[in-house]
Amino acid sequence: MNILEKIKTNYSASMNEMTVAAYLEECKTDPKAYAKPAERILDAIGEPEVLDTRQDPVLSRIFSNKKIKIYPAFKDFYGMESTIEQIVSYFRHSAQGLEEKKQILYLMGPVGGGKSSLAEKLKHLMQQNPIYVLKAGDEVSPVFESPLGLFADYTDELEEEYGIPARYVPSCMSPWASKRLREFDGDINRFKVIRLFPSIQEQIAISKTEPGDENNQDISTLVGKVDIRKLAEYQQSDPDAYSYTGGLCLANQGLLEFVEMFKAPIKVLNPLLTATQEKNYKGTEPIGAIPFDGIILAHSNESEWAKFLNDKKNEAFLDRIYKVQVPYCLRVSEEIKIYEKLIRESSLREAPCAPKTIELLAEFSVMSRLKEPENSSIYSKMRVYNGETLRETDPNAKSIQEYRDDAGINEGMQGISTRFAFKILSKVFNFDSEEIAANPVHLLYVLEQEVIKMMLPPETETKYLHLIKSLLASKYAEFISDEIQKAYIESYSSYGQNIFEKYVIYADHWMQNNDYRDPDSGEIFDRSILNEELEKIEKPAGIANPKDFRAEVTNFFLRYKAHHAGKSPRWDSYEKIKNVIEKKIFTNTEDLLPVVSFNVKSNEEDEKKHRDFTRRMRERGYTDKQIRILVDWFMRVRKTMA
């Protein structure tokens, strides 16, 4: 079936019509026929995958060995496990008929934090399951009411005959249905029931309301108003003279999104109180109560919430709100996934991106959102939040729970937004007029310029510039130094393996307090000499706790050999020792500078080494233009650090 046929088939399937009696018979066997909006959206979300974080060292540190629920429907929302679980809990409790069914789901968070994206996702999920709507003649109920509204005064009989629990029956029928019932002399069989799918496009059971001008906005944006064109034909109090165009009218049996809700005057919000508590509301004309059985989803930023919260007149309203905080992502690995997704959805997905570019931007974004820790560095805090263990490299680093307790519940509600970060990334990709590509050198420059342009408070600007110029630039200098050195040393892999195996032998003898005889020279190393040799390898990497580190690496080596028929592990198979050995290898490599630079070479041998170097850099993911830019930057930084 091609796409044109598929659209036609889906459209036809959504317009099924039946009698009221047939609908009630269907309710006997299929509870989905009368399911509440919360139940339908839960069904669309689906069952979660339960992830036991004890099986993953990184996740076990982040989530304290708990089992967490991952919902496939929200797979593109990275680092939001807690927020999504709270949202799903709201729907679950509402579906169970608990207090949440009478409350407004309110997403509160900073700009660009994902509130609108979550709202859009929920509206799309609401479209997946159909609703059953009352129809009279050729006219569908203007408020998409459930056929069960006709039985509002007969809930006991309905439950006894058809097994439909009383809580599923609306509190009243609409004025439109009440008028038709009078015209039909009480014959409910003259009504029809139509099966519709909620639609964002057609505003069927899904609607969006936005605050307007404070001076002229009134409740009609929510409850509708009289249609003056029909007053020539009907009285003002006639239900058919009413225009059911308010957000509550259109979102019945579905979802109403109220954007920036607290920017609206309180008088505009008043209909939401009765709509949530009594499941009906009053129109602007004397036409009787209009039923509402839907979900109200609101969102705004923290300042609007604080302003509303501090006004004592809003206490009744605040009691009807289920607040979910939507902070910025605080894990670098998840922030990277957000940027990668945004790039994939643009034409930049084919453009070259040098290693570490996106990671540096993610690190800057996350650090801008973190509360500055006491007696610890913000860089270490960022790495701990990302699930890394810093026991060997930073003795001042705290546990993730200590950092969280110190920061409080509002961490992540300020800082650089994802939206701002992606604008930075766009400028970096287009920085060079000759090549659409991104590299960290251009990123650091663009970041600095954009932070200055933002005209932030002096304290915030100083903090951000420190992160860029001192922290990220120095960390990247270390990274690109390693990259250049790895590409320079062709045989560095075998060299690293030799250091690794020698380290394990020395460490094993040192821990056993045994002397070691070198099989080649016959020289005997006592414990103090072994310690000196081990420290030569450890010191360049700044190992803070050598005794534990030696034991950990040796145990890893011996366990690996025991499980692999005596075969030694590769030196780079264990991240901790890999980093240490790389620091050792690259401690004294001054002779690389003439080779990696793009100056004219004095002899053919250096020229060949330079060609080999650039080839290996290309294999590592760099373009020719990027290699030149990064090498030049590396040379400049090296001079300033010398």
Side-chain angles (χ1 to χ4, degrees):
M1 187 185 294
N2 65 31
I3 188 170
L4 303 179
E5 293 169 339
K6 188 174 182 181
I7 292 172
K8 184 179 179 182
T9 303
N10 289 345
Y11 183 80
S12 303
S14 68
M15 300 297 288
N16 293 347
E17 187 174 304
M18 64 186 81
T19 64
V20 173
Y23 167 72
L24 292 174
E25 288 299 323
E26 186 170 332
C27 290
K28 275 186 178 181
T29 57
D30 184 9
K32 284 187 179 180
Y34 55 82
K36 296 280 187 180
E39 294 173 77
R40 297 199 308 274
I41 206 166
L42 269 181
D43 181 75
I45 290 170
E47 289 299 316
E49 300 168 1
V50 179
L51 183 63
D52 188 349
T53 61
R54 290 176 300 178
Q55 310 302 320
D56 186 307
V58 172
L59 293 178
S60 70
R61 287 189 284 269
I62 295 171
F63 295 103
S64 305
N65 288 327
K66 295 175 185 172
K67 290 182 179 179
I68 59 171
K69 294 175 181 177
I70 305 296
Y71 295 89
F74 295 97
K75 66 180 187 303
D76 291 336
F77 290 84
Y78 303 107
M80 298 180 74
E81 294 85 0
S82 174
T83 298
I84 289 165
E85 184 54 43
Q86 289 179 68
I87 292 171
V88 175
S89 292
Y90 166 84
F91 291 124
R92 188 182 297 117
H93 299 163
S94 179
Q96 292 169 347
L98 305 178
E99 183 58 29
E100 282 79 356
K101 72 176 183 178
K102 297 180 179 180
Q103 295 195 317
I104 296 167
L105 175 60
Y106 170 64
L107 307 180
M108 188 268 284
V111 293
K115 302 185 300 295
S116 298
S117 298
L118 280 169
E120 288 301 312
K121 185 65 181 179
L122 292 173
K123 287 193 292 185
H124 279 283
L125 289 168
M126 184 58 80
Q127 292 181 122
Q128 292 187 18
N129 287 313
I131 59 173
Y132 292 81
V133 177
L134 203 58
K135 184 178 180 184
D138 295 328
E139 192 179 358
V140 176
S141 169
V143 292
F144 306 112
E145 66 188 295
S146 165
L148 298 182
L150 297 171
F151 305 93
D153 297 328
Y154 303 92
T155 54
D156 293 340
E157 293 90 334
L158 198 64
E159 184 166 4
E160 185 179 332
E161 290 185 41
Y162 295 99
I164 302 171
R167 66 188 181 88
Y168 286 95
V169 181
S171 59
C172 62
M173 70 178 81
S174 72
W176 175 89
S178 181
K179 179 181 178 181
R180 267 69 190 164
L181 191 59
R182 286 196 303 274
E183 291 173 352
F184 296 159
D185 294 325
D187 186 359
I188 285 178
N189 290 319
R190 294 180 64 180
F191 283 101
K192 298 291 183 185
V193 177
I194 190 169
R195 180 173 175 268
L196 295 173
F197 277 88
S199 168
I200 298 170
Q201 179 66 35
E202 313 243 352
Q203 291 197 86
I204 298 173
I206 297 176
S207 180
K208 179 188 282 191
T209 299
E210 298 175 348
D213 190 323
E214 284 191 15
N215 298 320
N216 59 23
Q217 188 179 22
D218 57 31
I219 61 171
S220 64
T221 57
L222 285 174
V223 304
K225 58 186 176 182
V226 70
D227 186 344
I228 57 174
R229 293 172 300 178
K230 294 183 179 179
L231 290 179
E233 189 177 350
Y234 301 104
Q235 289 185 1
Q236 192 166 339
S237 59
D238 193 303
D240 287 337
Y242 201 74
S243 177
Y244 300 90
T245 54
L248 290 170
C249 307
L250 299 172
N252 189 28
Q253 290 207 76
L255 187 148
L256 168 64
E257 179 190 5
F258 206 135
V259 182
E260 299 293 346
M261 183 173 78
F262 295 131
K263 287 184 178 177
I266 190 66
K267 65 177 182 179
V268 175
L269 303 179
N270 284 333
L272 300 180
L273 296 177
T274 51
T276 52
Q277 294 298 299
E278 300 165 24
K279 296 301 177 185
N280 63 67
Y281 56 93
K282 188 180 180 303
T284 57
E285 308 301 324
I287 60 170
I290 305 171
F292 178 77
D293 194 2
I295 294 161
I296 299 174
L297 169 66
H299 50 88
S300 70
N301 58 40
E302 194 173 7
S303 61
E304 295 293 338
W305 165 254
K307 182 179 174 184
F308 194 84
L309 183 66
N310 292 327
D311 190 338
K312 291 293 182 184
K313 292 183 292 185
N314 301 329
E315 284 181 349
F317 209 93
L318 291 166
D319 196 43
R320 291 166 169 83
I321 286 176
Y322 183 97
K323 181 165 75 79
V324 176
Q325 287 200 171
V326 186
Y328 289 130
C329 178
L330 297 180
R331 281 152 54 199
V332 171
S333 58
E334 298 299 298
E335 186 77 5
I336 289 170
K337 290 176 186 175
I338 296 172
Y339 301 156
E340 288 174 342
K341 176 195 169 192
L342 294 169
I343 290 171
R344 277 197 310 273
E345 294 172 351
S346 73
S347 61
L348 296 178
R349 63 182 176 183
E350 304 297 332
C353 185
K356 203 73 175 176
T357 308
I358 294 176
E359 187 178 338
L360 279 176
L361 179 58
E363 288 177 349
F364 172 72
S365 297
V366 169
M367 284 192 288
S368 76
R369 302 162 184 170
L370 295 177
K371 181 184 175 184
E372 197 81 40
E374 293 182 10
N375 305 319
S376 178
S377 76
I378 196 166
Y379 191 79
S380 292
K381 181 177 181 178
M382 174 201 72
R383 293 180 63 191
V384 169
Y385 271 31
N386 204 39
E388 299 179 49
T389 177
L390 307 182
R391 190 173 53 193
E392 288 86 9
T393 54
D394 184 0
N396 293 323
K398 302 175 185 177
S399 70
I400 193 167
Q401 195 57 50
E402 286 178 293
Y403 280 130
R404 285 174 179 164
D405 291 344
D406 177 59
I409 60 171
N410 285 328
E411 188 171 41
M413 301 298 281
Q414 295 179 328
I416 293 297
S417 73
T418 305
R419 194 176 293 139
F420 173 82
F422 195 59
K423 285 192 285 188
I424 293 289
L425 210 50
S426 304
K427 291 185 178 182
V428 173
F429 269 100
N430 292 281
F431 186 82
D432 193 322
S433 58
E434 297 175 16
E435 180 181 63
I436 296 180
N439 67 72
V441 171
H442 288 162
L443 171 70
L444 293 170
Y445 176 78
V446 171
L447 256 181
E448 183 182 342
Q449 297 304 308
E450 291 301 313
V451 165
I452 293 170
K453 286 181 191 175
M454 287 170 74
M455 300 180 69
L456 297 162
E459 186 180 340
T460 306
E461 182 178 303
T462 301
K463 174 189 172 181
Y464 288 0
L465 291 178
H466 170 73
L467 292 177
I468 298 164
K469 297 164 79 171
S470 299
L471 205 51
L472 294 180
S474 63
K475 294 294 180 184
Y476 183 65
E478 293 176 18
F479 173 83
I480 195 61
S481 173
D482 285 354
E483 287 281 274
I484 289 170
Q485 289 164 334
K486 288 172 190 175
Y488 170 74
I489 302 175
E490 190 167 15
S491 60
Y492 108 107
S493 184
S494 58
Y495 186 26
Q497 190 69 23
N498 291 337
I499 294 176
F500 177 45
E501 293 180 5
K502 187 179 288 186
Y503 180 88
V504 172
I505 292 169
Y506 288 175
D508 190 30
H509 281 76
W510 179 84
M511 287 187 297
Q512 302 298 330
N513 204 11
N514 293 331
D515 292 346
Y516 171 69
R517 180 187 292 273
D518 190 309
D520 297 324
S521 64
E523 186 179 357
I524 295 177
F525 295 174
D526 62 19
R527 198 165 190 264
S528 62
I529 296 175
L530 286 172
N531 189 59
E532 289 175 12
E533 293 297 318
L534 289 166
E535 285 182 344
K536 287 178 185 177
I537 299 171
E538 294 161 349
K539 279 188 174 177
I543 298 300
N545 195 339
K547 183 179 178 181
D548 290 348
F549 183 77
R550 292 168 190 178
E552 191 174 346
V553 172
T554 305
N555 287 336
F556 164 76
F557 185 89
L558 296 175
R559 281 198 310 271
Y560 186 96
K561 286 187 74 172
H563 289 92
H564 295 83
K567 182 182 177 183
S568 299
R570 279 177 53 86
W571 72 278
D572 56 0
S573 62
Y574 192 46
E575 191 70 24
K576 292 179 180 178
I577 191 65
K578 171 179 175 281
N579 294 335
V580 170
I581 291 171
E582 283 180 347
K583 297 289 184 187
K584 167 64 179 172
I585 292 174
F586 303 137
T587 305
N588 300 307
T589 51
E590 295 299 322
D591 54 341
L592 95 167
L593 295 178
V595 171
V596 303
S597 72
F598 282 80
N599 299 331
V600 177
K601 302 295 177 280
S602 57
N603 56 64
E604 181 58 34
E605 184 182 354
D606 280 357
E607 184 62 41
K608 181 181 181 303
K609 285 182 179 178
H610 179 76
R611 287 196 301 270
D612 289 342
F613 161 75
T614 54
R615 172 179 55 79
R616 287 192 286 271
M617 285 290 281
R618 282 195 297 272
E619 290 169 357
R620 301 185 79 83
Y622 300 91
T623 67
D624 288 339
K625 186 82 180 280
Q626 288 172 343
I627 296 168
R628 183 181 287 271
I629 291 168
L630 299 179
V631 166
D632 288 347
W633 185 83
F634 168 69
M635 306 280 269
R636 287 198 307 274
V637 170
R638 195 178 180 89
K639 283 179 184 175
T640 58
M641 294 172 66

